Amino acid sequence: MISIRDLSVAYQGNLGETLALDKINIDIATGDIYTFIGPSGCGKSTLLYVLSGIISDYNGNVTVNGRSVDPRTQRIGLILQNYGLLPWKTVYQNTMLGQRIKHDRSGLDDYSRYILNELGIEDLLQRYPRELSGGQQQRVAIARAFIMKPDLLLMDEPFSALDAITREEMQALFLDIWQQHSVTTIFITHSVDEALYLGRKIVVLSDAPGRILEVVDNPCFQLDNLRFRDEYYAMSVRLRNILNKG
Amino acid sequence: MITVQPNKKWQGALYSAAVVLLVWWLLAWLVQLPIIPSPVAVFNNIIEVFMSRMEIHVWYSLVRISAGILISLLIGVPLGFLMGYFDRIDRMLSPLVYFTYPVPKLALLPVVMLIFGLGETSKLIMIVLIIIFQIIISARDAVKGIPQEIYRSLQSLGATRIQMLREIIIPASASEVLTATRLALGTAISILFFTETFGTEYGMGYFIMDSWMRVNYLDMYAGIVVLSFMGFCLFTIIDLIESRISYWR
Ligand SMILES: Nc1ncnc2c1ncn2[C@@H]1O[C@H](COP(=O)(O)OP(=O)(O)OP(=O)(O)O)[C@@H](O)[C@H]1O
Ligand SMILES: [Mg+2]
């Protein structure tokens, strides 16, 4: 379980302090999947930096299974908003970075081959990031996070650079993988539709500095033909209302 | 990105060599003095004396300069990395580096010779003293120039410092460091020449000065041409390594 208590994060800029997150409180059960939605600049990426150990200078308490965040002992699959690929590594080396840092010697096994195939990057393995389109780079970042079989999956708008069709394929693929491994997931998005499709619970954040406006149970989660149902429509209206009021 | 085709590079080198030779030849033809022999005579002379008298000097110089560069890299790069990565070390060492950087190191030659004698050690120390600062500073700046975002993936994977070094710092800064090395090479060769005019009977510096003393201008020019060519080869090697490791740019 992830437990966040009174989490506040401030950035030290040259114009003084910017408060990015303001007293966040939430519990996320192991194996659950939460989508976070909120306006730009409200601190969504910042929250992921805290949970992945990139930012360790914060106020409040953050624990994962009762222990403080430590990326050395936890397997954290982080998909960064800017993909976080290393430009001097090929696509293959980038997707295997998790294995390499964690000293797994599995290499290109069936599972990773399956992921690369499903993400449609199996033909790009020898390329360098600069030779890829934005959407391809994004899929490499997704592959890297999936292939390392994380205990905690943190996704920062992972499908933002994809076209509508590919995005929906990737969302379905992601749900599929999530069901097989039921890894605890925090999924950040700008899109109400994506929040409804992928989140068992939806956390709505306020304008900067980010506060939690509401944690919504999502009745639409894993409904068939979701996008054609009344529940879907009702929920999107509700979310939009919360977002507008915040 | 615009990359110079390897072919074009070679064409450029050939073209410049041709221009230099032409000007040289014209000068020789205009002046008609033994102090400026024609390039043809000089190249004939190289063929004649290289195996018999010059080769050993080339080796001495080559070893000295390679060792100088290698030692500078081995000391300068780790130092620069430490300064670039840890602000505290940088704050401690930077004033030292900035203070000593502009000191004309050649002026220290007498002191170095007094302490370390006339032998190889002094020569190496002079070369290292002169090029190591450029290498330290470029390694430091290269590391400082790595954006914080680049580290995030590895941080979230719980990478150790050594892993950061191997996966990020070295690949991200290698090409800057090599560029600095290549630039330092020119200076290193002048220093090499200078130090080889003292306390040794081997090396291209000695060969050139000795020929000059003996008023053997053909040998002297042969030495200059060979030394220049040696510099060109080293330059090209570093250039090749650099383009090999920055394929990803
Ligand atoms: N390095 C930094 N220094 C100062 N302020 C920062 C820094 N990084 C982020 N901020 C500020 O912190 C706030 C939260 O940033 P964050 O990147 O977490 O937002 P976000 O919710 O992910 O936005 P987006 O949806 O646009 O990605 C923003 O107001 C931003 O301006
Ligand atoms: Mg963000």
Side-chain angles (χ1 to χ4, degrees):
Chain A
M1 189 173 85
I2 303 172
S3 145
I4 300 175
R5 290 281 164 275
D6 289 329
L7 171 66
S8 297
V9 183
Y11 285 105
Q12 223 67 50
N14 39 7
L15 299 173
E17 253 187 23
T18 323
L19 193 60
L21 287 173
D22 189 15
K23 297 241 163 62
I24 301 288
N25 281 291
I26 195 169
D27 286 329
I28 294 170
T30 302
D32 215 339
I33 176 168
Y34 277 53
T35 48
F36 279 63
I37 189 166
S40 174
C42 73
K44 303 183 293 297
S45 301
T46 306
L47 177 69
L48 291 199
Y49 298 156
V50 170
L51 287 170
S52 55
I54 293 170
I55 293 182
S56 47
D57 185 17
Y58 53 79
N59 284 317
N61 235 315
V62 179
T63 55
V64 178
N65 297 328
R67 290 186 307 176
S68 54
V69 176
D70 180 4
R72 268 168 303 183
T73 51
Q74 288 144 358
R75 280 181 93 84
I76 300 170
L78 173 64
I79 301 171
L80 287 158
Q81 194 167 9
N82 64 358
Y83 322 137
L85 304 181
L86 298 182
W88 44 85
K89 289 186 180 289
T90 61
V91 166
Y92 176 73
Q93 292 166 330
N94 264 298
T95 54
M96 294 297 158
L97 193 66
Q99 320 280 88
R100 189 172 160 84
I101 299 300
K102 298 282 183 196
H103 302 292
D104 301 341
R105 292 271 162 266
S106 41
L108 203 56
D109 57 8
D110 283 348
Y111 176 68
S112 46
R113 243 185 273 271
Y114 161 76
I115 296 287
L116 293 173
N117 257 314
E118 290 291 319
L119 288 169
I121 51 175
E122 75 279 14
D123 294 329
L124 307 174
L125 295 182
Q126 298 315 316
R127 294 211 197 168
Y128 288 93
R130 72 170 167 89
E131 302 166 316
L132 302 178
S133 74
Q136 289 169 332
Q137 294 183 17
Q138 193 160 39
R139 281 179 276 156
V140 175
I142 298 169
R144 165 154 88 206
F146 285 178
I147 283 174
M148 69 179 287
K149 296 195 180 144
D151 309 324
L152 174 58
L153 190 53
L154 305 172
M155 306 170 82
D156 199 347
E157 302 183 29
F159 305 140
S160 60
L162 304 176
D163 63 279
I165 306 289
T166 317
R167 182 183 313 137
E168 279 170 25
E169 282 170 17
M170 293 301 131
Q171 289 169 342
L173 168 72
F174 162 66
L175 273 187
D176 211 44
I177 292 171
W178 177 77
Q179 270 158 4
Q180 288 168 36
H181 301 272
S182 70
V183 36
T184 318
T185 302
I186 293 183
F187 192 109
I188 300 227
T189 179
H190 266 142
S191 138
V192 170
D193 168 78
E194 197 163 68
L196 286 172
Y197 186 54
L198 296 178
R200 194 203 296 284
K201 291 203 177 174
I202 300 168
V203 181
V204 188
L205 294 170
S206 73
D207 241 327
R211 281 168 292 110
I212 293 182
L213 291 175
E214 206 167 327
V215 181
V216 187
D217 271 309
N218 178 17
C220 303
F221 186 58
Q222 293 194 317
L223 288 183
D224 290 331
N225 288 325
L226 168 76
R227 286 171 177 117
F228 302 102
R229 287 179 172 237
D230 293 342
E231 293 98 320
Y232 172 77
Y233 184 70
M235 275 306 289
S236 34
V237 171
R238 189 176 158 200
L239 281 185
R240 276 172 222 277
N241 276 333
I242 305 174
L243 278 167
N244 283 337
K245 265 183 256 155
Chain B
M1 197 180 76
I2 304 154
T3 45
V4 182
Q5 298 287 313
N7 281 344
K8 291 256 171 64
K9 250 188 191 173
W10 286 113
Q11 274 171 20
L14 276 178
Y15 173 76
S16 357
V19 170
V20 170
L21 285 178
L22 194 72
V23 171
W24 179 5
W25 184 77
L26 268 176
L27 261 178
W29 181 73
L30 279 175
V31 179
Q32 293 285 350
L33 285 175
I35 184 86
I36 305 185
S38 93
V40 181
V42 170
F43 279 98
N44 276 331
N45 190 49
I46 292 178
I47 297 171
E48 216 169 277
V49 301
F50 189 84
M51 298 294 255
S52 56
R53 288 192 283 127
M54 207 196 270
E55 204 186 348
I56 177 131
H57 298 287
V58 173
W59 278 117
Y60 264 86
S61 292
L62 207 56
V63 169
R64 281 175 189 143
I65 196 133
S66 312
I69 291 175
L70 225 60
I71 293 173
S72 306
L73 283 173
L74 284 177
I75 303 173
V77 170
L79 214 57
F81 280 178
L82 285 174
M83 290 169 69
Y85 196 77
F86 300 104
D87 275 338
R88 206 136 48 93
I89 299 185
D90 190 36
R91 274 198 300 274
M92 250 163 47
L93 294 184
S94 267
L96 215 65
V97 172
Y98 283 135
F99 187 66
T100 39
Y101 188 36
V103 173
K105 313 295 179 312
L106 213 50
L108 296 177
L109 185 64
V111 184
V112 171
M113 282 188 160
L114 208 66
I115 300 174
F116 297 97
L118 295 174
E120 296 301 319
T121 325
S122 299
K123 295 183 181 17
L124 270 182
I125 288 178
M126 284 312 295
I127 296 178
V128 170
L129 264 184
I130 282 172
I131 63 177
I132 197 167
F133 290 94
Q134 269 156 289
I135 291 177
I136 293 176
I137 291 175
S138 76
R140 186 198 67 164
D141 291 349
V143 174
K144 279 199 186 295
I146 302 173
Q148 283 304 311
E149 290 91 64
I150 290 276
Y151 294 106
R152 285 188 185 146
S153 310
L154 261 73
Q155 283 169 340
S156 73
L157 291 167
T160 60
R161 290 246 162 83
I162 297 290
Q163 285 172 324
M164 293 280 189
L165 178 71
R166 206 177 51 203
E167 312 293 337
I168 292 182
I169 294 175
I170 291 177
S173 60
S175 121
E176 273 97 326
V177 169
L178 281 179
T179 304
T181 312
R182 209 168 43 153
L183 292 178
L185 189 69
T187 334
I189 288 178
S190 332
I191 298 311
L192 174 82
F193 175 83
F194 192 68
T195 60
E196 282 181 345
T197 56
F198 300 91
T200 179
E201 302 205 328
Y202 297 104
M204 289 312 291
Y206 170 80
F207 183 89
I208 293 167
M209 290 310 276
D210 183 58
S211 313
W212 184 49
M213 298 296 184
R214 290 186 287 102
V215 206
N216 186 343
Y217 290 125
L218 274 183
D219 270 12
M220 183 178 101
Y221 275 90
I224 294 174
V225 168
V226 170
L227 183 61
S228 311
F229 185 69
M230 192 180 93
F232 172 76
C233 288
L234 287 171
F235 199 86
T236 310
I237 290 172
I238 300 181
D239 197 43
L240 284 177
I241 299 176
E242 196 189 325
S243 54
R244 266 304 285 277
I245 59 162
S246 44
Y247 43 77
W248 52 271
R249 276 177 200 266

